[in-house]
Amino acid sequence: MFKFVLKRIGISLMILFFASFLVYGLTVHSGDPLQDLREQNDQNRQNRIDQRIAQMRLNDPWIVRYWDWLRGILGCARLQCDFGSNRSGQDVNNLLANAAESTIRLVLLATILGIIVGVFFGVMAAIRQYSGFDYAVTAIAFVFYSLPAFVFAVLLKEFGAIRFNNWLAAPTFNLIFIVIVAGLFALFCQAIIAGEARKRLIVAAAAFLGSAGLLQIIDVTDWARNPIAGLWMEIVMGIAAAVLFTALLASLSNKRAILSTLGSAAAMILLIVVFSSQLEDPTWSFLGLMLLAGIVLAVAISLTFGGYAKRSIMWASVWTVISINFAVLVDYLARHWADYYELVRGRPISTIGSVSPNFRGADDFWLSLMDTTTHLILPTLSLTLMSVASYTRYTRSSMLEVLGQDYVRTARAKGLPEHTVMTRHAFRNALLPITTIVAFDFASLIGGAVITEKVFGWKGMGELFETALKNVDPDPVMAFFMVTGGIAVLMNMLADIMYAYIDPRIRR
């Protein structure tokens, strides 16, 4: 395995080298970096032209300039990267640090959400092949897949921000809206549940009544502007996650499994109660340590009381703890929602930028996180839904192919529970092609982020690349290439390594 990894690393470095040579050459020959100065009638024009020629070293052959740039990049091996300077003399290292932070935060979140949601719906569509749910998921996936990034981003700005902010001024639901939303949710729930028509009808009725009642409660209590937050969020999430992950990874009929996951949830909630004062104004390191402590407790409880299926129960408990920590974030953000609403003057969902300029709540952890989150919602949703479409289609296709294999039929013939057949036999083998898609999709999302950032006014990698290319300024362009191309190559290398882990035969 070690030799396999070293070989992949060597191949990846060679690809980066040849690609950087090609991109640098294309950039320096893409236009005239002095064009804007040549078109001026300023008396000092020639002096400014000479200064820029000296700053950009335009009298040197581009091969020499590339070699000097490459030497600066090789300094990364000593943790002393030098990405050069732009045509104005600004250090590209500083420009890149600010731009990359915004873009990678956006793309990484979109990728994670796209994988989780897309793989889930792809698996469910494969299990319910040729059902109404399958046809609906397929149709929606094709719509999102075919929509151009800029069109979807503009629609989100209009309906997800401008009109939603207008609605928040007087947040009410009329009866028609409640019936339509509850009906769609009921159709979705009954489509996921397998079984006879009577069972699906009961699920649909329960989903309709539950969602309609929830919307009515939100309407009456003015929850959209003053959310009812509290420990109940963590408790409800803990119970729901314990039941869900036990059903998926173990079995609800296994009493040790459900008791272990519920015990892990109770331990995590106890930690939240004990450290409630610190949670009022925490740090990311404190939240990380609390999550780590919850995971350690979950593993200990599972190994002690898990019985014969300790590994499956352990993973169910760990995911339950992670879900509760997510509920903590939602809970405390909801507690600060009303304050944030006042600070942004009733326009909480932003249509431009990655942070609010001169935000008065920047010193408060939760208000600062709220500001960052609300700016992330629309661009992340734009990238996520396009990513979900591809993951759904590929996951469905891969699962259908695996479900037709002999070893899956053998597992069912041996009498194994259906969830065991799906998770341990079918899903793991279906992951092989999905691993490749993850690598390529991450790179394509960075490309899509350039357009999305333009629509939402983000100061990220897209703006850095666009400005540098327009100015025929190679150093910032190469900085963009090294981050985006490096991540793409890294993801493909990790995909090859994951191949070898999932299927040991590939190592040979």
Side-chain angles (χ1 to χ4, degrees):
M1 184 68 177
F2 182 71
K3 183 179 178 181
F4 176 83
V5 172
L6 285 180
K7 182 179 177 182
R8 292 301 175 189
I9 292 175
I11 293 173
S12 300
L13 291 176
M14 288 179 59
I15 291 173
L16 274 179
F17 169 72
F18 287 114
S20 67
F21 181 82
L22 178 63
V23 172
Y24 197 98
L26 290 174
T27 302
V28 297
H29 292 96
S30 63
D32 182 8
L34 303 174
Q35 181 176 356
D36 60 319
L37 296 178
R38 298 186 198 279
E39 295 173 351
Q40 295 180 4
N41 295 320
D42 190 354
Q43 292 182 352
N44 199 31
R45 183 184 67 174
Q46 188 58 46
N47 183 39
R48 295 177 64 188
I49 290 176
D50 294 339
Q51 287 180 348
R52 183 174 294 178
I53 290 173
Q55 173 64 37
M56 299 183 68
R57 300 173 55 197
L58 296 180
N59 289 329
D60 295 339
W62 73 270
I63 294 289
V64 175
R65 292 158 58 197
Y66 169 76
W67 174 248
D68 291 339
W69 172 85
L70 186 61
R71 284 195 300 176
I73 295 301
L74 292 176
C76 294
R78 305 188 304 272
L79 300 180
Q80 295 179 348
C81 295
D82 181 11
F83 286 95
S85 59
N86 65 3
R87 71 177 192 176
S88 301
Q90 295 175 297
D91 188 3
V92 175
N93 284 26
N94 297 329
L95 297 175
L96 180 63
N98 296 327
E101 189 271 335
S102 295
T103 298
I104 292 177
R105 178 179 61 188
L106 174 64
V107 173
L108 187 62
L109 182 59
T111 302
I112 294 172
L113 292 175
I115 292 171
I116 294 173
V117 177
V119 170
F120 171 77
F121 281 108
V123 170
M124 295 305 298
I127 295 173
R128 310 281 187 269
Q129 186 183 16
Y130 302 135
S131 65
F133 177 79
D134 182 25
Y135 289 128
V137 168
T138 302
I140 294 172
F142 273 126
V143 170
F144 285 133
Y145 192 78
S146 59
L147 268 179
F150 65 90
V151 172
F152 194 55
V154 170
L155 290 174
L156 281 176
K157 285 183 69 172
E158 175 65 26
F159 295 98
I162 298 173
R163 297 197 183 188
F164 179 77
N165 287 333
N166 293 339
W167 174 79
L168 277 178
T172 57
F173 298 120
N174 58 45
L175 182 61
I176 296 176
F177 177 82
I178 292 176
V179 170
I180 292 175
V181 172
L184 292 174
F185 184 68
L187 286 173
F188 171 77
C189 291
Q190 67 85 28
I192 291 181
I193 301 298
E196 57 186 10
R198 182 173 175 272
K199 179 181 177 181
R200 297 204 307 272
L201 184 61
I202 293 173
V203 169
F208 180 87
L209 294 175
S211 56
L214 180 62
L215 289 174
Q216 190 63 39
I217 292 172
I218 291 174
D219 191 9
V220 172
T221 60
D222 194 26
W223 194 90
R225 292 180 59 177
N226 296 289
I228 303 172
L231 190 62
W232 65 270
M233 286 190 175
E234 289 86 338
I235 295 173
V236 170
M237 176 63 81
I239 296 172
V243 173
L244 174 63
F245 290 115
T246 302
L248 289 175
L249 301 175
S251 174
L252 290 176
S253 60
N254 186 342
K255 293 183 179 180
R256 284 181 175 269
I258 190 65
L259 289 175
S260 295
T261 50
L262 287 173
S264 301
M268 188 66 237
I269 291 171
L270 182 61
L271 279 178
I272 294 169
V273 173
V274 171
F275 294 105
S276 58
S277 58
Q278 286 86 346
L279 284 172
E280 292 297 330
D281 190 18
T283 61
W284 283 113
S285 58
F286 173 78
L287 292 176
L289 288 173
M290 194 170 73
L291 172 61
L292 181 61
I295 291 175
V296 170
L297 287 174
V299 172
I301 291 172
S302 302
L303 295 178
T304 304
F305 303 103
Y308 65 89
K310 292 181 180 179
R311 183 176 179 182
S312 299
I313 297 171
M314 181 186 71
W315 280 111
S317 300
V318 167
W319 283 112
T320 299
V321 166
I322 293 173
S323 301
I324 295 173
N325 275 266
F326 175 75
V328 170
L329 296 179
V330 175
D331 176 16
Y332 279 85
L333 288 176
R335 298 183 191 192
H336 292 77
W337 173 256
D339 295 334
Y340 179 74
Y341 184 84
E342 294 298 326
L343 286 174
V344 294
R345 300 177 182 179
R347 312 296 292 181
I349 307 300
S350 176
T351 60
I352 189 168
S354 56
V355 291
S356 297
N358 303 319
F359 181 57
R360 288 181 293 164
D363 295 335
D364 185 278
F365 177 85
W366 293 112
L367 288 176
S368 177
L369 179 60
M370 177 77 75
D371 186 58
T372 302
T373 303
T374 52
H375 282 78
L376 267 174
I377 289 175
L378 295 185
T380 300
L381 188 61
S382 176
L383 293 175
T384 298
L385 290 178
M386 292 186 295
S387 181
V388 163
S390 60
Y391 284 126
T392 300
R393 294 298 301 150
Y394 283 110
T395 303
R396 178 184 179 275
S397 176
S398 181
M399 277 294 292
L400 287 176
E401 182 179 356
V402 169
L403 289 175
Q405 300 296 318
D406 291 339
Y407 60 85
V408 174
R409 287 193 290 267
T410 302
R412 284 172 171 157
K414 287 163 60 179
L416 293 177
E418 186 66 15
H419 75 272
T420 303
V421 175
M422 291 296 171
T423 57
R424 295 188 183 180
H425 292 75
F427 184 60
R428 178 167 179 172
N429 289 281
L431 281 177
L432 280 172
I434 306 302
T435 306
T436 303
I437 301 305
V438 170
F440 284 104
D441 188 68
F442 193 83
S444 64
L445 271 182
I446 294 177
V450 174
I451 301 173
T452 304
E453 286 177 6
K454 183 71 174 178
V455 175
F456 289 101
W458 273 53
K459 304 294 183 182
M461 299 290 291
E463 185 192 43
L464 178 71
F465 173 74
E466 181 189 8
T467 303
L469 196 59
K470 188 183 299 182
N471 295 335
V472 197
D473 196 355
D475 284 359
V477 171
M478 295 307 295
F480 173 86
F481 163 78
M482 286 304 298
V483 173
T484 56
I487 290 175
V489 171
L490 176 64
M491 292 297 292
N492 279 277
M493 184 183 71
L494 292 177
D496 290 339
I497 296 173
M498 283 298 297
Y499 272 169
Y501 173 75
I502 295 172
D503 189 351
R505 295 173 299 177
I506 295 176
R507 303 175 198 173
R508 305 183 184 277

